[in-house]
Amino acid sequence: MKQINEGESVLSVPDVSMPEDGVVFYNPAQALSRDMSILFYLATGVDVLDGMSASGARAIRLAKYGVPVVANDYSSEAIKLIEKNMAKNQVEFELMNTDLRRLLHSRRFGAVDIDPFGSPAPFVHCALQSAVKYIGLAATDTAALAGTYPRVSRRRYGFVSKKLPNHPEIGVRALASFVIREGAKLEIAARPVFAHIFQHYYRVYFEVKKGARRTDKLLDELGTYEGVGPIYMGNLWDKSIVSKMIKHMKKVELGHKLTEKHLLYISDELKFPQPYMDLHFLCKQLKRLCPTMDSLFGKIKGSRTHFSPTGFRTKLSKDEVLDILKTN
Ligand SMILES: C[S@@+](CC[C@H](N)C(=O)[O-])C[C@H]1O[C@@H](n2cnc3c(N)ncnc32)[C@H](O)[C@@H]1O
């Protein structure tokens, strides 16, 4: 075991760098995703089930900011470690040691947070029935979502995929579309209100509301994009939630150095709802040298994107952007 600091918390975690059987996993890189979820749940003001808590890192940090939290993990080793980490951080909350699906079938929570190894697909249907207001969902099977394995995309998420230059965002939109379609079966509209990626980790937060008409309206926002679909084509971010998250950033001790930068990019990119374009890909298509991002933004109105350092967002169509790049 080793002791680490993440944000305002001190945690005992196993000294391993990859998931191993029977060992509770803690990934330091995901401090960014935990930062974002603390900001999200502070901004939305709900009680949270940390459904796959592992070392308790997320639940402990939420509890430190006064968010009512319940932590669950089916591993009894994880539960012992969470108890130890609760004492270390002088916080207390309810602990459950059961299969997440069983828990979700028996109880409701303001927000249900699901952070699996791999795909969240097996948990979505019961999360939709348990969550009163929000679901936070992570996926690390990004190859299936981003089009590397089209047969897995079809089998696991029910969509036609192929790898596109902006595949990280298309993967996030495919995950959103899966949750929306699962929600539709229950007449629950699960609308994306925040999304981000970091390395091979996607995360989407949904606001859930009952209602057949609302659900139909949301289904109208699914479509195909360059042969991939159905994917969600609507807004990935709710502006007022993002503004509140930025306000909360002042009082939260962040655990990752890139959280602030990513959130500020998001607050800018949400003004341009259509999927980002990749500048290097477009320049390669035109067989032209790439302009710098700064000179690109001298010619078009747009923003950078947290999805990719070579990506940009704009309201212009791809053909309009290509015409502008040709005159470079
Ligand atoms: C990726 S880890 C969670 C990491 C943690 N949320 C964090 O931020 O450090 C996934 C955890 O889910 C637990 N888990 C996997 N399947 C589960 C299930 N069906 N019910 C409850 N816990 C489960 C595993 O024991 C593991 O601790």
Side-chain angles (χ1 to χ4, degrees):
M1 296 294 275
K2 62 182 175 184
Q3 185 158 298
I4 56 105
N5 286 81
E6 184 178 302
E8 56 307 287
S9 65
V10 189
L11 301 164
S12 275
V13 295
D15 199 1
V16 292
S17 54
M18 294 294 287
E20 279 177 27
D21 264 359
V23 180
V24 182
F25 189 57
Y26 167 81
N27 184 353
Q30 290 322 324
L32 188 146
S33 109
R34 289 184 284 272
D35 285 346
M36 291 291 191
S37 58
I38 284 145
L39 296 170
F40 181 85
Y41 294 123
L42 280 171
T44 48
V46 282
D47 62 294
V48 180
L49 168 69
D50 180 15
M52 295 177 154
S53 195
S55 64
R58 197 177 305 267
I60 285 164
R61 295 189 59 197
L62 285 167
K64 282 231 157 194
Y65 289 106
V67 176
V69 64
V70 175
N72 174 65
D73 201 292
Y74 69 6
S75 148
S76 44
E77 289 310 306
I79 298 303
K80 281 185 219 150
L81 188 58
I82 300 170
E83 278 169 344
K84 190 169 165 181
N85 282 328
M86 283 199 315
K88 230 184 216 325
N89 289 278
Q90 296 166 328
V91 289
E92 266 188 56
F93 45 80
E94 188 183 355
L95 274 180
M96 305 290 290
N97 183 199
T98 185
D99 187 285
L100 177 59
R101 282 164 286 200
R102 183 186 291 250
L103 177 57
L104 295 174
H105 276 303
S106 62
R107 208 167 138 180
R108 303 202 74 189
F109 300 91
V112 172
D113 197 276
I114 302 181
D115 192 30
F117 295 122
S119 172
F123 304 98
V124 169
H125 194 76
C126 35
L128 283 156
Q129 291 166 86
S130 172
V132 178
K133 283 196 110 171
Y134 297 101
I135 296 176
L137 208 67
T140 59
D141 60 336
T142 52
L145 286 162
T148 312
Y149 303 120
R151 287 213 291 205
V152 187
S153 316
R154 188 179 64 177
R155 190 184 334 119
R156 195 175 290 162
Y157 293 106
F159 77 105
V160 176
S161 76
K162 65 179 173 191
K163 195 142 190 176
L164 296 173
N166 52 358
H167 59 85
E169 178 169 346
I170 301 308
V172 162
R173 290 180 178 279
L175 177 62
S177 147
F178 173 77
V179 176
I180 291 168
R181 286 177 286 122
E182 286 294 289
K185 295 174 191 169
L186 302 163
E187 297 193 338
I188 293 173
R191 173 173 289 285
V193 286
F194 189 77
H196 75 102
I197 68 157
F198 185 58
Q199 299 171 348
H200 295 290
Y201 186 99
Y202 295 172
R203 219 173 217 272
V204 187
Y205 293 84
F206 299 85
E207 182 181 41
V208 293
K209 282 187 181 162
K210 278 287 269 176
R213 279 175 58 192
R214 210 178 250 136
T215 306
D216 286 341
K217 256 180 109 181
L218 187 55
L219 285 171
D220 288 341
E221 294 182 57
L222 303 185
T224 49
Y225 175 84
E226 300 196 5
V228 174
I231 64 167
Y232 171 65
M233 293 302 293
N235 286 337
L236 285 173
W237 299 283
D238 177 300
K239 197 174 165 195
S240 81
I241 292 180
V242 174
S243 308
K244 284 184 198 156
M245 288 171 73
I246 290 173
K247 278 193 194 127
H248 280 289
M249 211 156 50
K250 291 192 190 90
K251 67 171 188 223
V252 168
E253 207 177 308
L254 298 174
H256 199 285
K257 59 178 193 284
L258 290 176
T259 306
E260 181 175 4
K261 182 177 169 186
H262 281 218
L263 191 54
L264 293 177
Y265 270 18
I266 286 169
S267 74
D268 207 17
E269 67 182 295
L270 62 77
K271 296 169 201 149
F272 303 93
Q274 65 183 15
Y276 79 86
M277 298 180 213
D278 186 86
L279 183 59
H280 286 192
F281 176 80
L282 295 181
C283 294
K284 215 166 151 189
Q285 249 190 346
L286 292 173
K287 297 195 173 68
R288 289 197 175 233
L289 282 178
C290 263
T292 62
M293 281 288 181
D294 285 345
S295 83
L296 178 74
F297 292 133
K299 294 186 172 75
I300 68 165
K301 197 167 171 330
S303 78
R304 284 178 177 271
T305 170
H306 87 287
F307 279 110
S308 163
T310 56
F312 64 95
R313 305 181 91 85
T314 171
K315 288 182 182 163
L316 299 178
S317 71
K318 186 175 163 191
D319 285 342
E320 287 170 322
V321 173
L322 285 173
D323 283 344
I324 291 166
L325 288 175
K326 276 184 212 157
T327 61
N328 199 21

